[in-house]
Amino acid sequence: MQGEINGLKALILKDNPSAYCVHCFPYQLQLTLVAVAKKHHDINNFFDILANVLNVVGGSYKRREMLRDDQAKKLDELLVIDEVHTGSGLNQELGLQRPGDTRWGSHFKTLRNFISLFSSIVHVLGVLANESSNYQEKALAKSLVEDIRSYELVYILHLMLKIMAITYYLNMNLQRKYQDIVNAMKLVHFTKRQLQTMRESKWNSLLEDVSSFCDKNGIMIPKIDEKYGLGKSKRKSSTFTYSHHLHVEVFCAAIDLQLSELNNLFSEVNTDLLLGMASLSPDDSFANYDKNKIMKLATYYQNEFTASKLEDLSFELDNYIDYVREMDNAFSNLKGLGDLSKTLVKTNIHKTWGIVYLLVKLSLILPVATATVERAFSSMKFIKIDLRSRIGDDFLNDCLVCYIEDGVFESVPNDAIIDRFQNMTSRRVQLK
């Protein structure tokens, strides 16, 4: 799909340069996390170790119960010394969900719980390393204890948690059902600034958090001014310090990869297309109208907008926006470009503002995938099952509407449904 030469998107654009498409924002954010995990050796190794720990600790009911019991025991100890407080919704039992490449937000939740349950995880692995009857399980558990109790793994654990905390809340906001495009793009730019700020000024605070965690869990803290040892052998050392490795090769490199992926996935073209569409939108009496962004949008359709036509569009926009804002009755309560297009045709002024109407039509055929669209596709597997393999398109659409818009249908009273069904045709019995 994403191949720059032979990818599907590249082949379509080669045939038609104006065939733009904007992918689902939350899914693109998730792809950035996966890309970082694959491109950085140390982070890739960290996620491999994390996956092994989750598989071992969550591999059986007995181990999960052991994790719960140790978690409850430590909570009781904290309650005795007044380290935590009781109350509604507090001290909930935590689990270790396996992160999925396409499961939005799963990495952040897993890392957050991993830190909270760190001592309990070490306890479970320690029990397996000492008491397991399987030699391979004992060796694996012992190796994992050594791995997760290393300073560098704890450092990467906290680093990735901080990075994902920034992108997680952006991800959650972009998944809202009716997310405003302008606000969404502001959130993307805000996330980039947050990552850049973290790169420039948050390294020392990260070291403090890691050191505090290591002190709490009895993990040895190395001297960061010493030469960095390559691998586990202390005889092999590099020419740079441990501090340089942690700061430049891990911290800065991980954030740079995030920023690079965000810039690639949320490209300038996609940003201009979305902001241009939002500027054309009639929502709130054309509150997002921005002539410069609309003109930028038009430049991407070179076959339709020549230099002279762009000049005509510039003049037409000045008059168009004043005209539609004065016609309060016709354009005041419109929602989206679809309503705008219908109203322009209905009022027979699409010919008067022909160039603007052309741009509106081009915007309407621009596919923009959102979280709502992704959820609609996911819902199909619950509707079109084996028992409904021959379901028709109309019935499938009706079922999907009921399933996806369940909140709307829950607000409809049963009596109204019964009355409508009763009045559809003459019936022998009264349904009420």
Side-chain angles (χ1 to χ4, degrees), residues 185-333:
M185 297 312 302
K186 288 180 180 178
L187 286 171
V188 172
H189 292 308
F190 174 76
T191 300
K192 292 180 181 179
R193 290 197 303 271
Q194 288 289 94
L195 288 171
Q196 187 63 38
T197 301
M198 179 181 173
R199 187 186 190 279
E200 294 172 355
S201 60
K202 300 296 183 181
W203 186 62
N204 289 328
S205 64
L206 173 64
L207 287 181
E208 292 175 1
D209 292 342
V210 174
S211 298
S212 175
F213 182 86
C214 290
D215 290 337
K216 180 180 178 181
N217 291 278
I219 298 174
M220 186 181 69
I221 302 175
K223 296 180 179 179
I224 62 175
D225 294 331
E226 292 183 349
K227 296 292 184 181
Y228 173 64
L230 299 175
K232 295 185 178 180
S233 175
K234 296 183 179 180
R235 295 182 179 180
K236 296 181 180 180
S237 61
S238 60
T239 57
F240 50 83
T241 63
Y242 200 59
S243 173
H244 174 87
H245 168 70
L246 294 176
H247 186 208
V248 178
E249 295 187 339
V250 180
F251 181 80
C252 292
I255 297 177
D256 288 343
L257 279 172
Q258 279 282 341
L259 288 171
S260 176
E261 289 296 324
L262 283 173
N263 289 329
N264 289 336
L265 293 171
F266 297 95
S267 64
E268 183 181 355
V269 174
N270 285 353
T271 302
D272 291 339
L273 290 171
L274 289 171
L275 292 179
M277 290 174 59
S279 299
L280 276 172
S281 175
D283 292 5
D284 300 324
S285 299
F286 299 87
N288 292 322
Y289 176 81
D290 189 316
K291 179 182 175 181
N292 293 330
K293 292 175 182 177
I294 296 174
M295 293 298 298
K296 186 69 174 179
L297 171 65
T299 59
Y300 287 104
Y301 296 96
Q302 298 177 2
N303 293 336
E304 287 77 15
F305 291 93
T306 60
S308 60
K309 206 165 186 177
L310 284 173
E311 188 175 353
D312 293 338
L313 174 63
S314 178
F315 293 127
E316 190 170 296
L317 282 171
D318 293 332
N319 297 320
Y320 160 79
I321 190 61
D322 291 335
Y323 181 84
V324 294
R325 281 175 174 170
E326 288 179 0
M327 295 183 63
D328 291 336
N329 294 333
F331 293 90
S332 59
N333 297 319

Side-chain angles (χ1 to χ4, degrees), residues 148-180:
I148 67 174
R149 286 183 57 80
S150 67
Y151 179 85
E152 187 162 347
L153 186 136
V154 173
Y155 174 84
I156 296 176
L157 172 63
H158 282 78
L159 169 62
M160 293 309 299
L161 180 68
K162 288 181 178 294
I163 291 176
M164 291 179 186
I166 295 174
T167 58
Y168 173 76
Y169 292 106
L170 171 62
N171 203 328
M172 293 299 103
N173 279 289
L174 292 179
Q175 289 182 50
R176 291 179 180 175
K177 195 167 187 179
Y178 300 107
Q179 179 60 266
D180 180 70

